[in-house]
Amino acid sequence: MQRSAYIAAGLLIVVGAIFVGQGLGILGGSSFMVGDFRWAVIGAAMIALGVGLGYRARAQRPAG
């Protein structure tokens, strides 16, 4: 369970960072997301969720 939570957290963070980059126009390309600030906000929320999930998985780690 913990490993899958870490994988999900990592994916949320990476995909969120891509969304932020495209939403702010840092990552170029011909996507509908480029330069649209909504996607930067969605990406930031995904990053926050990923960090929270990773923190929660770490906090629930068994002692010992």
Side-chain angles (χ1 to χ4, degrees), residues 13-35:
I13 292 169
V14 169
V15 172
I18 292 170
F19 279 26
V20 169
Q22 285 192 332
L24 295 178
I26 297 170
L27 298 176
S30 60
S31 172
F32 62 93
M33 294 170 61
V34 175

